[in-house]
Amino acid sequence: MSKAEPAPPSAARLFSALGDSTRLGLIARLSDGGERSIVQLGEGLPMSRQAIAKHLDVLHGAGVVHRRKSGREIHYALRRDAIEAARLWLDEVSAQWDSTLARLKALVEED
């Protein structure tokens, strides 16, 4: 990734999906690596099952969760590779920022 390159569409979709507090809460509930149904994920939340399902659809569309149908229920689990991809992208941005600051520091110290 260079300074001129835009983020890949997958990164934009991923970060867009993460830009909601309800979805971040659902990810936190799945972060132990287990699978949960919509009912389990919605326990204690002040919203309908349909609303939870819509948030999970967004996360699924961004590749953050995978789903598995079991009888009449759908179980969701976190895709750790998606979270790792987000972390790697942020690491690249951080490295570019560090490089820019190092060049600025060198320029200031030359004078």
Side-chain angles (χ1 to χ4, degrees):
M1 179 175 70
S2 72
K3 287 189 260 183
E5 289 182 36
S10 60
R13 191 171 45 243
L14 173 67
F15 285 107
S16 176
L18 296 178
D20 180 274
S21 60
T22 298
R23 291 193 284 269
L24 289 176
L26 293 171
I27 289 170
R29 289 176 179 216
L30 292 169
S31 64
D32 64 358
E35 285 187 344
R36 290 190 178 66
S37 68
I38 292 173
V39 172
Q40 292 170 321
L41 287 167
E43 286 177 2
L45 295 178
M47 60 182 58
S48 67
R49 285 178 50 188
Q50 290 80 10
I52 298 291
K54 286 183 181 182
H55 282 293
L56 288 167
D57 282 345
V58 172
L59 293 172
H60 184 260
V64 179
V65 297
H66 68 83
R67 55 187 172 200
R68 179 183 62 82
K69 189 163 184 162
S70 175
R72 296 179 64 186
E73 289 189 326
I74 299 174
H75 289 141
Y76 291 86
L78 188 64
R79 288 187 55 198
R80 296 210 178 266
D81 58 327
I83 301 300
E84 180 65 16
R87 190 188 65 75
L88 290 174
W89 191 84
L90 289 173
D91 285 349
E92 289 179 29
V93 171
S94 177
Q96 287 180 359
W97 183 247
D98 289 346
S99 175
T100 300
L101 287 176
R103 286 193 313 272
L104 177 62
K105 180 180 177 187
L107 181 67
V108 168
E109 290 177 350
E110 277 181 12
D111 292 335

